[in-house]
Amino acid sequence: MELIFFYVNLSSTKFIEKQGFNFSPNYFFEVDYNNGKYILYQENKEEIIPEGFFDESGCISNITAIVGENGSGKTTLLECLQSGFHLKKAKNKIGLGYHDYEQEKYENNKQIAIYKEDDKLVCYHNIDNFIIDVNIELKCVDFCKNPQELTKILNENIEFRNISKISLTNSMYSKDGLSTHDRIDSISLNPNSLDIIKNSFYKTKIRLNNSLYGGFYEISFMLSKYRTKTEFQQILDVLYLNQINNSKEKSIFDNVLKHDLTISFQRIDLYLEKWLEEKYEISNKNSMDNKDKEKVTLNEYYEIWKKCISKIKKESFKNDIFLVIYSNLLFELIASNRVKQYDDRWNYNNKDELVNYIESVIYELAKNKDSNHQYFLDAFKEIQKYENCLKKCSMTTCLLPNDDLAYVSYKILKHDNKAYNNFMNLIKVSMLQKRHSFVLRYINIGGLKLSSGERALLNFFSWLNITPYFKKINEYIEESLFDNVLLLIDEIDLYCHPSWQQKMIEYLIQEIKIFFKGKKVQIIFTTHSPIILSDIPKSNIIYLRQKNMKCSIDDNINHTETFGTNIYKLFNDAFFLEEQGQVGEFAKRKIQNTINKILSLWNRESEADFIQIKQLEKEVLMIGEPIIRERLFTMLYKSKYYDNDLDLKERRIKMYKEKIKQLEEEML
């Protein structure tokens, strides 16, 4: 299913008003508003872009770029596209008793959307007084006259309801949000929304079961609160790098795969101390409600756990990262009331004795047919797999000041080691194949020392990579995506070096075909990059301008072809810089000042003038544009060698001799 046309009656910001946007190069629709009536017209067009132009496999149906000057409405349009497909029935009339905000809501809800599916065009709308005046076959679904049709579409997940909208940006000023209905309706992937996804992930990866009573249930909330976005992003990074590594295809992240990784585990007591200190005061225990008393119970389990590991030397935790995670598993057994409070086997002094004890407890749970023994057995085996993978890796310890518990001990995983690939595959299994993962709740993965551009680009693709598997990190989603995906990317070039911008569209197409195999994907993005725009035909570009403090569409017939076009030409044409030129304002002003100074020297011969000429020579040499630079040199030497006794040809010869001499000196 492909979005062909979308009409915005009034955006929430009121910046876009009564504007229709065409997203297919092969169709053109427009809506004329006159005396309260909305009339849909259509212009006959020949096929401009053949089917499969961007992707012969059929996964990507179309790609559209939105460009324009700052403040022209690019981001606002993407927000309308993401939130505007639920075509609720508008109120037919607004009576005298309604407030102004209800009238505004009514205007906001007026929408028209035309989709193409199986070569058929369908127009959905919820506008009274809507007239269709087209000469092509166009099915019309009017939700004002037939609200039952909307109910059917929503309930059965068909037609435009069969689309997942994914909004993606690296901007820190983006909105977060997640809307699900068994599957993903709408999701925003950006630095702000990562917190929501992270919290959902840590809650899902812990088994929430009422039979695991005591403080165990509370652990999930504690981890979702204190595990950071960075720690969660580390897992997404490795998951995506593993996909690249296994594909054996050349990637812009090949250099990242050459980084060594550092692996460590977070001790649960560092979370517990924060949780207990922040959430409740023991001194007020008598006034606590039942929920607070449960938290105090968690504190009691914490005290038991500390007694259990008290005989193990602190140095042992510094020398073996897996002692950390085994001790975390012991705490979860205690907090679930699966360990007797006075167990005579608590007398262990090292990791081997602790591991044997945990194994014996899990064996007893199985023997007693405890319904949760499998959960703890899976956790135990998962730890062992990671330990076996990393057992030959070297170990480094770094102590943090003023706290003998807050240390960093980590394994160094060399990128050229066989364990590197095994570790990445283990992360994939824990993330995508195991319903609950004990290791991922506590693991820290470092070593990826990235520039801000590399970080932004890796965010971009690692987020997209996890989207089809979203049900793995959100227990309330049965299936991650609908059959169709509308990918909305704001500022696709943000933080990207020009060399990466050259590869962005090509790489995006290749990755989308892997991420969303079996889906139909339509991509709409905004950009400020002429390099990226050179990959998109002019017919697939929407040009926006700000006019009278409103969003205005600039007909692309006014613009030159963009596909494969020189980027300098695109700077002027696509981004409306024709009146400003391609030079920065500061440089433009400085060059103009230099010109003015050179002109002021003409016909003057004082000694001070020649000193000034020397300084101006340095300024002219800094100019990168050769035409401007050479023209200014000509003007400058005309001033320096101005002499009524010499004709123009002699002055030029003298000037160039001086210039050759200067260049020869610079080459020495």
Side-chain angles (χ1 to χ4, degrees):
M1 175 175 281
E2 179 184 346
L3 177 65
I4 302 297
F5 175 77
F6 187 71
Y7 180 79
V8 180
N9 189 58
L10 186 66
S11 67
S12 59
T13 61
K14 301 183 181 180
F15 186 70
I16 301 179
E17 184 174 6
K18 292 181 171 55
Q19 288 281 4
F21 302 90
N22 287 279
F23 296 99
S24 171
N26 301 325
Y27 299 90
F28 183 85
F29 294 93
E30 61 181 340
V31 174
D32 181 35
Y33 177 75
N34 190 9
N35 294 325
K37 294 182 179 180
Y38 297 80
I39 306 174
L40 178 70
Y41 296 102
Q42 166 256 336
E43 179 182 307
N44 291 326
K45 295 186 71 174
E46 296 181 0
E47 184 181 82
I48 299 176
I49 301 296
E51 187 175 349
F53 177 80
F54 292 105
D55 172 27
E56 294 180 357
S57 73
C59 177
I60 300 175
S61 60
N62 196 21
I63 302 178
T64 305
I66 304 172
V67 301
E69 56 197 348
N70 281 332
S72 58
K74 300 185 293 295
T75 301
T76 302
L77 175 55
L78 290 189
E79 291 175 353
C80 291
L81 289 171
Q82 186 179 23
S83 61
F85 291 149
H86 297 286
L87 302 177
K88 298 179 181 178
K89 180 180 182 299
K91 298 179 184 296
N92 292 333
K93 294 182 180 180
I94 302 298
L96 296 176
Y98 290 94
H99 298 293
D100 291 341
Y101 75 88
E102 290 178 315
Q103 175 68 37
E104 183 175 322
K105 183 178 179 181
Y106 170 67
E107 295 298 322
N108 289 342
N109 283 339
K110 288 181 178 178
Q111 297 163 22
I112 302 168
I114 299 177
Y115 292 92
K116 181 180 180 181
E117 186 171 15
D118 299 328
D119 294 325
K120 296 180 181 178
L121 296 180
V122 183
C123 175
Y124 304 93
H125 76 91
N126 61 345
I127 300 178
D128 289 328
N129 299 320
F130 180 65
I131 300 171
I132 296 179
D133 186 7
V134 300
N135 56 9
I136 61 173
E137 185 176 350
L138 180 66
K139 177 184 176 182
C140 181
V141 179
D142 185 345
F143 294 126
C144 290
K145 296 179 180 178
N146 189 7
Q148 293 81 11
E149 185 73 15
L150 174 61
T151 302
K152 178 182 178 181
I153 291 172
L154 296 178
N155 289 342
E156 297 181 12
N157 295 332
I158 57 176
E159 301 185 40
F160 71 84
R161 181 62 173 77
N162 190 19
I163 298 177
S164 293
K165 299 176 290 296
I166 302 173
S167 176
L168 180 66
T169 181
N170 265 305
S171 173
M172 294 296 297
Y173 303 100
S174 49
K175 297 180 180 179
D176 54 23
L178 171 64
S179 174
T180 63
H181 183 76
D182 297 332
R183 300 184 185 183
I184 294 177
D185 296 334
S186 174
I187 182 173
S188 295
L189 299 172
N190 57 66
N192 295 327
S193 68
L194 202 61
D195 249 336
I196 297 174
I197 301 171
K198 180 261 297 184
N199 292 344
S200 176
F201 168 76
Y202 285 115
K203 289 179 181 178
T204 300
K205 285 301 175 182
I206 292 179
R207 185 177 184 185
L208 296 180
N209 189 321
N210 289 332
S211 64
L212 289 174
Y213 49 90
F216 186 86
Y217 191 88
E218 194 180 350
I219 293 174
S220 64
F221 298 98
M222 179 181 70
L223 291 180
S224 65
K225 178 179 177 61
Y226 294 126
R227 291 289 282 177
T228 66
K229 289 190 292 186
T230 300
E231 291 164 337
F232 176 57
Q233 181 64 55
Q234 292 167 350
I235 298 172
L236 299 185
D237 290 344
V238 172
L239 191 66
Y240 177 56
L241 292 175
N242 181 63
Q243 185 262 317
I244 295 174
N245 196 42
N246 290 337
S247 70
K248 307 299 182 182
E249 298 290 335
K250 187 172 179 59
S251 167
I252 55 178
F253 294 107
D254 284 342
N255 287 334
V256 179
L257 284 167
K258 296 177 182 178
H259 293 183
D260 296 337
L261 299 178
T262 61
I263 316 300
S264 63
F265 297 102
Q266 187 73 39
R267 264 181 60 157
I268 197 169
D269 52 331
L270 300 181
Y271 295 133
L272 284 164
E273 288 170 0
K274 287 182 184 178
W275 180 262
L276 296 172
E277 180 180 351
E278 182 178 323
K279 291 297 181 180
Y280 44 90
E281 295 291 336
I282 301 301
S283 58
N284 296 329
K285 181 163 54 173
N286 293 334
S287 62
M288 290 180 179
D289 57 23
N290 290 333
K291 187 176 180 180
D292 288 330
K293 289 180 180 179
E294 289 177 4
K295 294 176 181 177
V296 175
T297 302
L298 188 62
N299 181 61
E300 294 172 353
Y301 292 130
Y302 179 34
E303 294 300 322
I304 296 171
W305 177 77
K306 285 194 291 185
K307 290 180 181 178
C308 288
I309 64 172
S310 61
K311 293 185 179 181
I312 301 177
K313 295 179 180 179
K314 292 179 180 178
E315 287 295 325
S316 300
F317 287 96
K318 300 170 188 176
N319 297 327
D320 191 339
I321 63 171
F322 285 95
L323 178 55
V324 173
I325 195 166
Y326 278 120
S327 67
N328 290 355
L329 180 57
L330 174 65
F331 178 83
E332 293 200 9
L333 281 165
I334 294 172
S336 66
N337 275 336
R338 261 54 187 180
V339 176
K340 296 178 181 178
Q341 187 167 354
Y342 302 105
D343 194 318
D344 56 7
R345 292 172 294 171
W346 282 5
N347 297 318
Y348 32 79
N349 301 287
N350 52 53
K351 189 185 80 171
D352 290 339
E353 292 180 1
L354 173 62
V355 170
N356 290 335
Y357 172 71
I358 292 174
E359 193 171 18
S360 67
V361 171
I362 295 174
Y363 173 77
E364 287 182 7
L365 294 179
K367 184 179 179 180
N368 296 329
K369 297 183 179 180
D370 189 293
S371 60
N372 294 292
H373 89 275
Q374 191 62 48
Y375 167 80
F376 291 110
L377 179 60
D378 289 344
F380 184 74
K381 289 182 177 180
E382 185 184 19
I383 297 172
Q384 288 183 317
K385 287 180 180 179
Y386 279 86
E387 185 176 16
N388 185 58
C389 175
L390 301 174
K391 64 182 178 181
K392 293 183 180 180
C393 296
S394 60
M395 184 79 145
T396 299
T397 301
C398 176
L399 286 175
L400 297 181
N402 303 323
D403 192 339
D404 60 354
L405 287 179
Y407 51 81
V408 178
S409 298
Y410 53 86
K411 289 270 191 178
I412 301 175
L413 183 56
K414 297 290 184 180
H415 73 275
D416 55 356
N417 191 307
K418 183 180 179 181
Y420 186 87
N421 293 338
N422 293 339
F423 174 79
M424 285 188 161
N425 287 325
L426 281 175
I427 292 292
K428 179 180 179 180
V429 170
S430 294
M431 185 73 167
L432 303 181
Q433 297 178 21
K434 294 179 69 66
R435 180 173 177 81
H436 308 290
S437 171
F438 186 83
V439 170
L440 294 189
R441 301 209 291 270
Y442 300 103
I443 197 169
N444 292 328
I445 307 169
L448 295 179
K449 300 174 183 177
L450 309 174
S451 67
S452 59
E454 287 175 318
R455 178 71 272 165
L457 205 59
L458 190 54
N459 285 352
F460 192 98
F461 287 105
S462 66
W463 296 343
L464 280 179
N465 180 52
I466 194 61
T467 307
Y469 309 104
F470 212 79
K471 64 180 179 180
K472 303 293 185 179
I473 58 176
N474 190 315
E475 62 179 341
Y476 300 108
I477 298 178
E478 295 180 4
E479 295 291 336
S480 289
L481 297 171
F482 287 104
D483 296 331
N484 302 279
V485 175
L486 179 62
L487 181 58
L488 306 168
I489 308 174
D490 197 13
E491 298 185 276
I492 193 173
D493 53 292
L494 191 62
Y495 304 126
C496 283
H497 186 276
S499 64
W500 289 347
Q501 293 177 26
Q502 286 183 307
K503 305 170 185 175
M504 176 61 83
I505 298 300
E506 173 68 14
Y507 194 69
L508 178 65
I509 290 173
Q510 298 305 319
E511 292 298 280
I512 289 297
K513 290 191 291 185
I514 297 173
F515 297 156
F516 302 105
K517 187 176 182 180
K519 308 290 183 184
K520 288 287 187 180
V521 182
Q522 181 177 1
I523 304 171
I524 301 173
F525 68 84
T526 71
T527 184
H528 293 102
S529 168
I531 299 176
I532 288 179
L533 210 60
S534 68
D535 276 334
I536 305 298
K538 180 183 72 171
S539 57
N540 284 60
I541 299 173
I542 297 174
Y543 298 88
L544 301 183
R545 304 194 78 160
Q546 184 181 132
K547 187 176 181 181
N548 299 324
M549 302 302 292
K550 294 285 186 179
C551 173
S552 174
I553 301 174
D554 199 67
D555 196 331
N556 65 6
I557 201 172
N558 300 326
H559 298 267
T560 59
E561 182 54 71
T562 55
F563 188 72
T565 301
N566 185 286
I567 64 170
Y568 297 108
K569 189 174 183 179
L570 292 178
F571 253 128
N572 273 353
D573 182 69
F575 299 95
F576 306 103
L577 295 175
E578 64 276 3
E579 298 174 359
Q580 304 170 33
Q582 300 166 358
V583 180
E585 287 296 322
F586 175 75
K588 187 194 302 183
R589 177 171 60 81
K590 291 291 290 185
I591 292 171
Q592 186 59 56
N593 287 342
T594 301
I595 294 172
N596 294 338
K597 290 176 183 178
I598 293 173
L599 291 174
S600 70
L601 291 173
W602 287 13
N603 301 321
R604 295 172 59 189
E605 300 178 359
S606 67
E607 183 178 352
D609 294 336
F610 292 105
I611 296 175
Q612 189 174 6
I613 285 173
K614 208 66 178 171
Q615 178 61 36
L616 289 172
E617 285 179 349
K618 296 178 181 179
E619 293 184 13
V620 173
L621 280 170
M622 294 170 61
I623 299 173
E625 173 54 53
I627 296 177
I628 298 176
R629 185 176 63 245
E630 294 306 312
R631 177 59 179 158
L632 290 186
F633 264 126
T634 300
M635 294 173 61
L636 185 61
Y637 282 95
K638 181 180 178 182
S639 300
K640 186 173 182 179
Y641 297 106
Y642 185 83
D643 189 334
N644 290 328
D645 294 334
L646 300 174
D647 61 20
L648 178 60
K649 183 181 291 186
E650 289 174 323
R651 289 201 303 270
R652 292 181 66 186
I653 291 172
K654 194 173 182 179
M655 175 188 74
Y656 283 116
K657 283 183 178 180
E658 178 72 17
K659 191 173 181 182
I660 290 171
K661 182 181 178 181
Q662 180 181 347
L663 290 172
E664 288 175 343
E665 291 175 353
E666 291 176 359
M667 292 174 64
L668 295 177

